[in-house]
Amino acid sequence: GIQTFPSRFKQCCVKLSVQPSRGLMDEKFVVLVQSVPPGFQLTVHALHQCEDGHSWEAFGHYTADASGNVNVSEDPSLGGTYTGVEPMGLLWSLIPVPGSKSGLRMRKMNVQTPMEVTISVYEGHQTEGFMDQVALAGVVVERWYMAPGVRRIPITEDGLTATLFLPPGPGPFPGLLDLWGGGGKLVEYRSALLASHGMASLALDYLTSKITMETGKMVGNEYFEAAYRVLQQHPQVLGSRIAMLGLSFGTSVTLKMAAYSQVVKLRCAVCISGSHVQPVEGSVKQIMVGSLFRTRFNEENQVIWRDLLLPIPTDPSLKVDVGRLQCPLLLVVGEDDQNWPTYESAMDMKEMMERAGNSHLLTVLSYPNAGHLIEPPYTPHARASTFKSVQTPQKFMALWGGETVAHSRAQEDAWRKTLVFLRENLYGGRNPGATSFANL
């Protein structure tokens, strides 16, 4: 309920601090409320307006301790968009404000500006009407994908549509080719964050690239090999230390390149929420088209694609021969993925690699109740969102799967382990010239 305290308390005394108030997207922050009466009930609220104009909010209900303090990192939320001790609940539990249209997914388009979040304190345990109330205190927090000193370089050579992100400093740095999935577009935020952690990362648009838009033809293997060469030949990149990271359809490309390309020689590969099932001789277009015919819908008319590749074929011409892989492979799997049969695919890859004798190269991270879109930490979970495949003009509501708390935990854990895996494989081994990453 609402408690009444002398009005002068409200005006002057509530202290709110967020540390750091400017940080990377995957950094934790500490939210402290001080100087309220002991036992005071309050709501800590986060508000973010996306670049597309949609507003998102999250909030937790807290009770001040005997000293009149609330520490969001240590104290439990008693209600709101998250409950319990959740240091970063104000970010990962963000949901569109009441009255928003359905199917929204939060994605940063311009990585050269921060995500701004307003953290506020309200009196009492509130659940709605925040815009109509006066906050007791408020502070604006900046969350960046690009660390200070990271350089963003658009790449158009060799017909590529790509952006290179270079870490601060002279380098040379290990390189990474970053591929997203079937929605196309040039998506930069993950690459920017990887560069903030010391890797020269090339975000590549391979489905809606300028060349495809102009000619109507989808790109072939040579496009990915050209992207690899741009990294390999860059003066600030260690040409012998390059990785590939793919999500969803990007996994199909990553596995194919890693197994069969004569040009692409990887130190390691990371595949998130994808599969090795694809016609080995097939082009990007055939792989995409093949996956559109066996679509089913749930009762809310959301598209479920995970059955398309099931059962996992036994015909070797219908899947990448992962037994050929010679570099370490990290598979990240959400066991509630409704978009791709990632768990079944991972188990089949494991079996294939055991038969071929290269399973020592395989690491599988599998997360119960996590969905398809396993993104950098604290990215709000979208169980379903509107999606336009490159192949179809109409928009769908795609069901990605996942349960918010489990999915958020998975994002945090997978990102931490992915960074460790990349560092061990890209910096490890013999090369005194590699930049130290003790400070990253």
Side-chain angles (χ1 to χ4, degrees):
I2 302 282
Q3 297 141 307
T4 51
F5 289 91
S7 58
R8 59 174 201 268
F9 141 72
K10 286 191 192 175
Q11 278 146 13
C12 67
C13 303
V14 180
K15 284 210 199 88
L16 169 65
S17 73
V18 184
Q19 295 296 335
S21 60
R22 178 182 289 148
L24 284 178
M25 291 298 289
D26 56 355
E27 248 180 291
K28 282 193 163 83
F29 55 43
V30 176
V31 179
L32 282 178
V33 183
Q34 292 166 299
S35 307
V36 297
F40 185 70
Q41 293 189 332
L42 56 87
T43 302
V44 182
H45 180 268
L47 180 69
H48 168 63
Q49 189 175 32
C50 274
E51 293 151 322
D52 58 14
H54 295 288
S55 291
W56 297 63
E57 69 176 358
F59 52 92
H61 295 158
Y62 293 91
T63 302
D65 65 14
S67 313
N69 300 326
V70 168
N71 180 342
V72 171
S73 296
E74 296 171 2
D75 300 337
S77 163
L78 308 171
T81 53
Y82 63 95
T83 55
V85 178
E86 294 291 351
M88 299 304 289
L90 289 165
L91 287 188
W92 63 249
S93 77
L94 282 164
I95 50 174
V97 296
S100 301
K101 68 175 188 181
S102 62
L104 296 177
R105 173 182 174 194
M106 189 188 290
R107 304 190 87 186
K108 190 89 177 81
M109 288 324 184
N110 178 7
V111 296
Q112 293 175 287
T113 60
M115 171 189 181
E116 290 189 342
V117 185
T118 304
I119 311 282
S120 305
V121 178
Y122 293 91
E123 183 177 345
H125 288 170
Q126 312 282 347
T127 55
E128 59 191 6
F130 292 102
M131 299 308 103
D132 308 327
Q133 296 181 51
V134 179
L136 300 176
V139 66
V140 177
V141 178
E142 288 186 6
R143 307 285 294 172
W144 289 84
Y145 284 102
M146 273 174 85
V150 169
R151 286 151 293 166
R152 177 185 176 274
I153 304 160
I155 303 285
T156 53
E157 62 202 76
D158 300 327
L160 296 172
T161 300
T163 308
L164 177 63
F165 290 89
L166 289 175
F173 310 101
L176 181 138
L177 190 52
D178 180 14
L179 304 180
W180 286 85
K185 308 265 193 302
L186 185 54
V187 181
E188 298 185 350
Y189 57 88
R190 187 169 59 196
S191 281
L193 195 52
L194 288 165
S196 300
H197 286 283
M199 285 158 262
S201 187
L202 186 73
L204 184 66
D205 178 358
Y206 59 97
L207 291 174
T208 50
S209 65
K210 188 161 178 276
I211 199 161
T212 295
M213 292 310 176
E214 285 170 0
T215 63
K217 291 193 179 70
M218 295 195 95
V219 301
N221 294 348
E222 63 287 345
Y223 185 83
F224 302 102
E225 291 173 347
Y228 171 84
R229 282 202 183 95
V230 163
L231 270 177
Q232 190 188 30
Q233 292 164 9
H234 193 284
Q236 285 176 283
V237 175
L238 293 160
S240 63
R241 293 168 175 265
I242 295 175
M244 266 178 93
L245 183 152
L247 177 130
S248 192
F249 189 65
T251 289
S252 309
V253 177
T254 298
L255 288 171
K256 191 173 179 182
M257 290 290 128
Y260 302 114
S261 173
Q262 294 304 301
V263 174
V264 175
K265 298 293 174 216
L266 301 177
R267 266 300 171 98
C268 62
V270 177
C271 291
I272 306 168
S273 303
S275 176
H276 60 318
V277 177
Q278 52 175 293
V280 171
E281 297 299 317
S283 63
V284 170
K285 181 164 187 178
Q286 285 164 307
I287 299 167
M288 291 250 9
V289 173
S291 66
L292 284 176
F293 297 121
R294 297 198 304 280
T295 300
R296 72 181 163 99
F297 293 82
N298 68 3
E299 52 283 0
E300 291 162 59
N301 217 22
Q302 296 169 334
V303 185
I304 298 173
W305 272 309
R306 75 181 308 281
D307 312 354
L308 301 180
L309 304 176
L310 290 177
I312 304 287
T314 48
D315 179 346
S317 72
L318 294 178
K319 47 193 187 181
V320 171
D321 181 6
V322 288
R324 296 171 53 107
L325 292 177
Q326 292 172 4
C327 71
L329 170 64
L330 177 66
L331 298 179
V332 180
V333 173
E335 294 178 20
D336 188 40
D337 191 327
Q338 298 298 313
N339 197 246
W340 285 63
T342 46
Y343 182 77
E344 294 87 342
S345 298
M347 293 304 104
D348 191 64
M349 283 188 257
K350 186 167 187 258
E351 196 179 303
M352 287 172 74
M353 290 176 77
E354 277 164 0
R355 279 203 304 271
N358 65 343
S359 63
H360 61 286
L361 296 171
L362 179 66
T363 307
V364 181
L365 300 177
S366 192
Y367 297 98
N369 300 316
H372 182 67
L373 300 176
I374 298 177
E375 300 235 44
Y378 320 127
T379 304
H381 166 234
R383 184 170 166 79
S385 70
T386 47
F387 179 74
K388 186 179 171 308
S389 164
V390 175
Q391 288 295 308
T392 52
Q394 72 268 43
K395 281 188 172 178
F396 299 96
M397 186 69 75
L399 183 65
W400 309 115
E403 180 272 302
T404 298
V405 176
H407 188 86
S408 302
R409 298 261 192 285
Q411 289 189 151
E412 210 175 327
D413 190 72
W415 181 253
R416 191 170 45 82
K417 288 174 178 166
T418 297
L419 289 179
V420 169
F421 175 84
L422 289 169
R423 284 175 190 158
E424 283 177 351
N425 288 294
L426 290 173
Y427 285 103
R430 331 146 295 289
N431 190 341
T435 310
S436 155
F437 58 92
N439 57 343
L440 294 177

